[in-house]
Amino acid sequence: MAANPIEEMFREIVREEVGEAIAEIKKMLAGTSLEKEKLIGAEEISEFLGISKRRACELLPGRVLR
């Protein structure tokens, strides 16, 4: 079933915003001892965005559901 265009546009915006936030955090931590530590997982993302853990994983390709 195809999602409606507004839903797809919203999903893309959320993907971009989450990606930009992660990139900003990585920049802030560059060179620190926390640089390679896990910062946030699917559960934290789902709670922050008010979505399911599975949906959080879908928005962050390459991440593993924990």
Side-chain angles (χ1 to χ4, degrees):
M1 180 172 140
N4 75 45
I6 293 173
E7 184 178 337
E8 280 302 316
M9 195 167 38
F10 178 76
R11 288 179 180 186
E12 183 59 31
I13 290 168
V14 170
R15 281 186 202 101
E16 289 174 10
E17 291 298 320
V18 169
E20 288 174 13
I22 290 170
E24 188 63 31
I25 290 169
K26 285 181 180 180
K27 272 195 237 177
M28 290 181 346
L29 294 175
T32 70
S33 62
L34 298 174
E35 183 176 13
K36 294 186 180 183
E37 289 187 26
K38 180 178 178 188
L39 299 175
I40 188 168
E43 187 170 338
E44 293 88 359
I45 292 170
S46 68
E47 289 173 16
F48 180 77
L49 295 176
I51 59 177
S52 70
K53 281 198 295 185
R54 181 155 310 282
R55 186 70 189 123
C57 288
E58 290 170 0
L59 291 170
L60 297 170
R63 304 292 192 250
V64 179
L65 182 64
R66 63 172 199 165

